[in-house]
Amino acid sequence: MFKWILAVLGYAFMRYPGAILGFIVGTLIDNWNRSSGGFKTVFGAEESRVSPGDFELNLLSLASIVIKADGKVSQTELDYVRAYFVQSYGKERANATFRTFNEVIKKREISAQRIGLYLQQRTRYEVRLQILHFLFSIAQADGNISDSELGSLSEIARYLKLTNRDFESIKAMFFKSADNAYKILEIDKSATDAEVKKAFRTMAKKYHPDKLQHMDEAYQKGAQEKFTKVQEAYEQIQKERGL
């Protein structure tokens, strides 16, 4: 059993040197102690190869890319990430995670392409949609999503293998425009009433919170936010069309 743990730690050391190793060791031990017969995962069977430590570290790494995209580190954005992890994992674990996060954004060169490839091979599509939603929320935490942040978000979405329509749909949830509701439902303004209704059903199914029941509370909350935006978009179009 412990030989296996040491093997995992050796692998972690090769991938995540320095301060990051301390976080991974703590996470691995914590997950081992809290599970019975193996490490706990936050995913379904499809993601069984991804440990919580790997997922959290990669998520924080993507967050750091967005935070640094405009050339500065916003305290408001850092506070948003901290609050998110406190809600997801509790204060003690979040504090340890956030200390590591600070080291990551100062010292480690992070590859969005590498992380995107890793996650798109090991996580469900709806999980990756929620990752993008979370990253948009970080960018908006200081009240403005800059062009450089938007560029980073678009790049990350491509590496996560998310479609352009899905990217534009989630983007529309954070921007106000005349055709915002149509973008959220992934249709054109010329769509018929029947097509609008069909699009609503499709998007409601895609973003339904039940799809993320296996995730932590913060992710389920994010899923509910997306689902609500879809409902609001549909209601807005109905109102505009007098339906």
Side-chain angles (χ1 to χ4, degrees):
M1 180 185 299
F2 289 103
K3 288 182 178 179
W4 183 79
I5 295 177
L6 290 174
V8 174
L9 293 180
Y11 172 71
F13 180 79
M14 293 174 62
R15 294 185 57 200
Y16 305 107
I20 296 175
L21 178 60
F23 167 67
I24 293 179
V25 171
T27 299
L28 289 171
I29 294 174
D30 179 58
N31 287 329
W32 179 266
N33 289 336
R34 288 188 292 110
S35 63
S36 56
F39 285 97
K40 176 185 175 183
T41 67
V42 293
F43 309 102
E46 184 179 347
E47 293 85 19
S48 60
R49 292 174 294 172
V50 184
S51 73
D54 278 339
F55 182 77
E56 292 163 26
L57 184 58
N58 281 299
L59 185 63
L60 285 169
S61 297
L62 291 179
S64 73
I65 291 174
V66 175
I67 289 175
K68 295 192 296 182
D70 54 7
K72 59 183 179 180
V73 177
S74 166
Q75 186 61 46
T76 303
E77 293 174 345
L78 289 174
D79 289 343
Y80 180 89
V81 174
R82 180 185 181 87
Y84 184 92
F85 274 79
V86 168
Q87 181 182 1
S88 296
Y89 310 113
K91 186 175 181 180
E92 182 177 350
R93 182 170 171 180
N95 284 338
T97 303
F98 200 74
R99 285 194 296 270
T100 302
F101 176 69
N102 281 332
E103 293 302 315
V104 169
I105 65 174
K106 291 176 183 177
K107 299 179 180 180
R108 179 176 171 81
E109 186 68 29
I110 297 168
S111 169
Q113 184 176 17
R114 176 186 60 78
I115 296 170
L117 178 63
Y118 179 84
L119 291 175
Q120 65 98 350
Q121 290 178 338
R122 293 168 173 82
T123 59
R124 299 174 183 172
Y125 193 83
E126 57 266 24
V127 172
R128 302 201 299 278
L129 286 173
Q130 183 53 35
I131 289 174
L132 181 63
H133 184 270
F134 168 62
L135 297 176
F136 261 105
S137 297
I138 295 173
Q140 195 189 48
D142 61 358
N144 176 63
I145 300 178
S146 67
D147 290 341
S148 55
E149 287 174 326
L150 191 59
S152 291
L153 290 165
S154 177
E155 180 182 44
I156 291 170
R158 290 198 303 273
Y159 291 140
L160 290 174
K161 295 294 184 181
L162 300 177
T163 68
N164 186 62
R165 275 186 171 270
D166 280 334
F167 175 80
E168 291 296 330
S169 174
I170 292 179
K171 173 185 171 183
M173 297 178 185
F174 294 87
F175 288 86
K176 293 182 179 180
S177 65
D179 57 349
N180 181 60
Y182 290 92
K183 288 183 178 179
I184 291 176
L185 295 186
E186 299 184 359
I187 53 176
D188 297 324
K189 294 189 73 172
S190 59
T192 65
D193 293 343
E195 289 171 335
V196 170
K197 188 174 183 178
K198 181 180 179 180
F200 167 67
R201 290 176 175 172
T202 299
M203 297 305 294
K205 183 178 180 181
K206 178 187 294 186
Y207 290 145
H208 199 284
D210 285 351
K211 286 185 173 290
L212 293 180
Q213 282 186 331
H214 60 294
M215 298 293 288
D216 293 296
E217 181 181 349
Y219 267 71
Q220 293 178 31
K221 181 180 178 181
Q224 182 61 54
E225 290 174 0
K226 296 199 303 298
F227 186 72
T228 298
K229 287 292 186 180
V230 168
Q231 290 178 310
E232 291 175 350
Y234 181 56
E235 291 171 1
Q236 179 182 330
I237 294 174
Q238 284 187 310
K239 183 177 180 180
E240 291 175 355
R241 297 188 174 197
L243 299 176

